Amino acid sequence: MLQNIRNNIQGTAAKFIIALIIVPFALFGIDSLFGGSGQVPAAVVNGEKISEGELQQAISLQKRRLLGMMGDQIDPAMLDDAMLRKPALNTLIKQQLLLQAAAEAGIEISTAQLHATIASMPQFQEDGRFSQARYEQVLRLQGYSSAFFKQLLRSDLTIQQLSSAVAGSAFVAGPELSRAIGLLHETRDYHFITVAQAPYRASIKISDDEVEAYYQENANQFLSEAAVRYSYVELSEEDFFEPVSEDQVMAEYQRLVEASNAQVEREAAHILIEINDDTSREEASSQLEKIRQTVLSGADFAEQARQYSADAGSAGDGGALGFSSGDSFPAEFEEALAGLKEGEISPVIETEAGLHLIKLLSVRQPSVPSLESARLEITERLRRQEAMPRLIGAVEDLRDFVFNAENLTMPAKELGLEVKQSEWQKESDESGLFAYASLKSAAFNPELRSKGLNSEVFELTPEHFAVIHVEEYKAPDTLPLAQVREEIVGSLEQRKAELEAESQAKAIQAELLAGKRAEEVAKAEQLTWNAIAAGKRGDIAVEAPIRNRAFSMPRPDQQASVSVLRLANGDRVVLQLLDVNYGSQSGMDVAQLNEAENSASRNRSSQDFSAYFNGLWKDAKIKIN
């Protein structure tokens, strides 16, 4: 059953990326992490409080997600607490409603399900199997304990089960399926004639007066970039590196050896007999005892698992479940596994999944490098460990000094730092400190500039901080006509060429509306034309804008259906829709019919769940403080 559960949840769990799932689901059951229980809650949902602490945690996590997605290119305004508060609170409320609904429906996630899901997640696996060390490393990088992550994941899986239960009740009626097939498999017959604007440009002449007039009317389009020159002070971790003694290296190496000894992983296999209406506990225990004696007499454990284990997912692999360092499986299972020697088989043990025989397949623990091979890494790590507190202390002192200082001279002197000077940098520059969007934004902040203030101290990376003071500013200025003349001429040529193409396209449209054939008109105008018979919505042989317009045009009746489309490059396309043929089941093979039914079912499920959630929201008693 453990492996069955893994397989059932694999499809969803495999989509989790730890840095992302934390944002929407790190929002439940975390009151104990925050003090101040007497604070006014951020919201109350059907009597259940969402604390201000939970909301702040959600906002913080959203910031981390945005920074992870966009890095230094992010607009600092996107990280403003006031902007993030409302969407974060809405997410909390929605998820609280869904968890409440799941509880009322009796939906629960067992510990076995939880452990099986974690074991199946690719980001926690090495060589295709769960790795406890990898699991702990990923969570540590995200700043979460194992217990907290499991709490988040349990909430996530609960909501997924509720969603599946609601969506699973959806069904598609015959008429609805017919309509869906009619639209999805609709085909259209149409012609289109392309009127290019490029040929017109060769004969277009732009006068100096036209250029001058355009320049004067659109002067704000031809501005130079703003630029700044600034002074700055930097602090980095390397500034605080100090020598590391041999005693420190030896002590750290000994700690690594002891930690390695504690990181034992055990590879387990099992044979499961479930307790159900057909098999009692006594019968299951008796069967497993017989299997155990058979194995002890020389039979192959893996073969017995293939033959008798009720865990279909692991039985095919000889009962193998992968490695665990003590918390991947239920407590009873882990306790029995820990008491075995390599190759040994446990007595019959019971978990909520049923009765098991457990075999310890192998034991592994991290190899410890020699002192000499590890010396450089240990030295570097100790230097960083000792430098970081000094760096943080210096950063706090720098923040205090720059807050009221007129420039950076005094703060730098107090801390023994150098005030550096930048070259002129434009808003489009991404070199040097301008590689960091937050600092660039401060460099062009009008308030800092007008009041002569220092910027805040920016954390560029966890090991690198900087503060700037704008010394000079060059405002955008109108570029000279000579510099932008070619650009203006090109714009005017494009505009006139497009007007000519548009005029010709309108004339062609009138001829097609009058009843002329597209081929006849195209030949007369010496233009290319295309005939599409039984064209489909997804036909990649036709450009998407043309295809989309053809499928949005009204069906022709007594009047021809003709439309003019502008393409992104300025060309015009004249389309004539000839016929519309709706899809039908009669022309579909089994695979196409199944896909159509699945698509209609997915759409119906999505609509049903949206309606279900809207009902929860409408009936809920929600108070936002």
Side-chain angles (χ1 to χ4, degrees):
M1 181 62 74
L2 291 175
Q3 191 65 35
N4 285 339
I5 294 170
R6 291 186 191 186
N7 293 337
N8 290 336
I9 306 179
Q10 179 85 19
T12 302
K15 298 176 183 176
F16 289 179
I17 299 176
I18 298 304
L20 298 183
I21 69 166
I22 297 304
V23 176
F25 298 114
L27 308 171
F28 304 101
I30 57 177
D31 284 334
S32 60
L33 299 181
F34 301 93
S37 58
Q39 293 180 347
V40 175
V44 181
V45 182
N46 292 330
E48 295 192 30
K49 297 178 181 179
I50 296 174
S51 71
E52 187 66 31
E54 288 177 281
L55 178 56
Q56 291 305 315
Q57 176 81 342
I59 292 172
S60 175
L61 292 170
Q62 284 198 13
K63 289 181 182 179
R64 292 177 61 182
R65 175 176 178 252
L66 291 169
L67 287 169
M69 292 172 61
M70 304 178 68
D72 293 328
Q73 303 304 313
I74 192 169
D75 182 350
M78 294 177 66
L79 301 178
D80 183 62
D81 282 11
M83 179 177 291
L84 294 174
R85 183 180 178 89
K86 184 176 180 180
L89 185 57
N90 282 341
T91 299
L92 283 165
I93 293 171
K94 291 174 182 178
Q95 293 177 340
Q96 185 65 260
L97 285 172
L98 291 173
L99 286 177
Q100 291 173 359
E104 290 179 7
I107 295 175
E108 294 182 358
I109 301 299
S110 68
T111 302
Q113 280 179 284
L114 191 65
H115 289 158
T117 301
I118 293 173
S120 70
M121 295 170 72
Q123 57 267 45
F124 299 146
Q125 294 182 350
E126 292 180 352
D127 300 326
R129 292 189 173 182
F130 176 79
S131 166
Q132 183 69 23
R134 175 64 177 164
Y135 170 72
E136 293 173 354
Q137 179 190 34
V138 172
L139 294 191
R140 185 168 59 252
L141 289 173
Q142 296 301 320
Y144 299 103
S145 67
S146 178
F148 187 41
F149 173 72
K150 289 177 181 178
Q151 192 173 15
L152 307 179
L153 182 58
R154 189 186 298 274
S155 295
D156 178 28
L157 295 176
T158 300
I159 292 174
Q160 288 184 34
Q161 273 201 14
L162 175 66
S163 175
S164 298
V166 174
S169 63
F171 69 94
V172 179
E176 185 176 358
L177 178 60
S178 295
R179 286 194 298 272
I181 291 174
L183 291 174
L184 287 172
H185 294 272
E186 173 188 333
T187 63
R188 294 194 168 202
D189 301 333
Y190 56 96
H191 296 165
F192 64 91
I193 301 170
T194 302
V195 181
Q197 51 83 25
Y200 290 104
R201 295 190 65 166
S203 60
I204 291 174
K205 302 298 181 183
I206 306 298
S207 68
D208 290 343
D209 289 342
E210 288 178 294
V211 173
E212 178 68 30
Y214 188 91
Y215 177 73
Q216 295 298 333
E217 293 170 6
N218 300 277
N220 60 346
Q221 294 182 14
F222 307 111
L223 298 177
S224 63
E225 283 191 82
V228 293
R229 189 179 64 78
Y230 55 91
S231 56
Y232 63 99
V233 170
E234 291 180 287
L235 279 172
S236 64
E237 191 178 53
E238 287 79 3
D239 298 333
F240 298 90
F241 279 176
E242 292 186 357
V244 176
S245 70
E246 180 66 16
D247 288 344
Q248 288 176 294
V249 173
M250 290 297 299
E252 178 64 13
Y253 181 73
Q254 185 60 37
R255 188 191 68 78
L256 292 177
V257 171
E258 293 172 357
S260 174
N261 292 334
Q263 292 178 2
V264 176
E265 291 183 297
R266 294 177 173 83
E267 184 183 17
H270 80 144
I271 298 173
L272 170 68
I273 303 297
E274 295 178 330
I275 300 170
N276 50 40
D277 294 340
D278 297 326
T279 305
S280 67
R281 179 177 282 97
E282 291 74 17
E283 291 171 333
S285 179
S286 176
Q287 184 179 0
L288 282 177
E289 283 292 353
K290 291 179 181 179
I291 295 172
R292 186 172 188 274
Q293 292 305 316
T294 301
V295 174
L296 292 176
S297 299
D300 183 41
F301 184 92
E303 187 57 40
Q304 296 293 305
R306 293 187 186 95
Q307 186 173 354
Y308 297 110
S309 181
D311 187 353
S314 68
D317 196 23
L321 291 171
F323 284 89
S324 170
S325 60
D327 64 354
S328 299
F329 306 116
E332 304 90 346
F333 194 105
E334 293 285 2
E335 183 178 353
L337 183 63
L340 298 175
K341 297 178 181 178
E342 194 167 328
E344 193 175 8
I345 299 169
S346 73
V348 177
I349 65 117
E350 182 175 354
T351 71
E352 60 184 28
L355 300 184
H356 310 254
L357 286 181
I358 304 170
K359 182 177 181 179
L360 177 59
L361 299 179
S362 65
V363 177
R364 71 181 182 189
Q365 65 185 73
S367 60
V368 180
S370 67
L371 174 60
E372 289 310 310
S373 62
R375 181 183 297 279
L376 182 60
E377 180 184 347
I378 289 174
T379 301
E380 182 70 11
R381 184 165 64 251
L382 290 175
R383 289 172 71 190
R384 292 188 179 279
Q385 287 176 355
E386 294 183 3
M388 183 56 70
R390 300 190 188 102
L391 170 63
I392 298 303
V395 168
E396 292 306 313
D397 289 341
L398 181 60
R399 287 192 171 115
D400 291 340
F401 287 131
V402 302
F403 184 73
N404 290 315
E406 293 182 356
N407 51 43
L408 298 178
T409 302
M410 182 275 288
K413 182 178 179 180
E414 291 290 338
L415 295 173
L417 301 173
E418 177 188 1
V419 179
K420 303 175 184 178
Q421 302 293 328
S422 77
E423 301 294 331
W424 283 100
Q425 287 196 271
K426 300 177 181 179
E427 288 184 285
S428 60
D429 287 348
E430 294 185 354
S431 60
L433 294 181
F434 268 26
Y436 303 96
S438 56
L439 188 143
K440 183 194 292 189
S441 177
F444 289 97
N445 184 304
E447 182 179 6
L448 294 182
R449 183 172 67 247
S450 63
K451 295 182 178 180
L453 301 175
N454 296 319
S455 74
E456 64 178 285
V457 178
F458 291 101
E459 180 180 344
L460 307 180
T461 71
E463 301 83 24
H464 185 197
F465 296 78
V467 56
I468 68 170
H469 183 92
V470 176
E471 303 294 345
E472 293 184 80
Y473 172 74
K474 291 181 181 178
D477 194 12
T478 303
L479 296 170
L481 175 57
Q483 189 172 335
V484 297
R485 180 181 180 81
E486 288 188 13
E487 180 183 346
I488 293 174
V489 169
S491 296
L492 291 173
E493 287 178 347
Q494 175 77 15
R495 178 191 294 180
K496 289 189 174 184
E498 284 202 41
L499 288 174
E500 295 287 351
E502 176 73 12
S503 176
Q504 185 177 15
K506 291 292 186 182
I508 292 172
Q509 181 184 32
E511 291 186 87
L512 294 178
L513 287 171
K516 287 190 176 182
R517 295 170 55 244
E519 181 180 9
E520 175 188 356
V521 175
K523 287 183 177 179
E525 298 287 340
Q526 297 183 331
L527 297 171
T528 59
W529 72 288
N530 294 269
I532 306 299
K536 299 179 179 179
R537 292 179 186 272
D539 186 0
I540 60 173
V542 181
E543 289 184 66
I546 298 174
R547 189 172 68 242
N548 294 338
R549 175 62 65 86
F551 275 85
S552 66
M553 292 168 63
R555 183 172 189 166
D557 42 32
Q558 297 179 0
Q559 171 106 15
S561 184
V562 185
S563 178
V564 175
L565 169 68
R566 181 191 184 278
L567 297 181
N569 64 357
D571 292 349
R572 265 50 174 186
V573 174
V574 186
L575 295 96
Q576 181 180 30
L577 180 61
L578 304 176
D579 197 10
V580 176
N581 303 291
Y582 295 111
S584 67
Q585 298 184 33
S586 60
M588 300 172 63
D589 58 30
V590 174
Q592 290 175 323
L593 185 58
N594 287 337
E595 174 57 30
E597 291 176 343
N598 290 337
S599 177
S601 179
R602 287 192 297 269
N603 289 336
R604 171 52 59 190
S605 296
S606 177
Q607 293 170 8
D608 284 359
F609 187 77
S610 294
Y612 171 77
F613 179 78
N614 290 338
L616 292 177
W617 186 279
K618 181 180 178 181
D619 296 336
K621 295 181 179 178
I622 301 172
K623 180 182 178 183
I624 298 176
N625 295 318

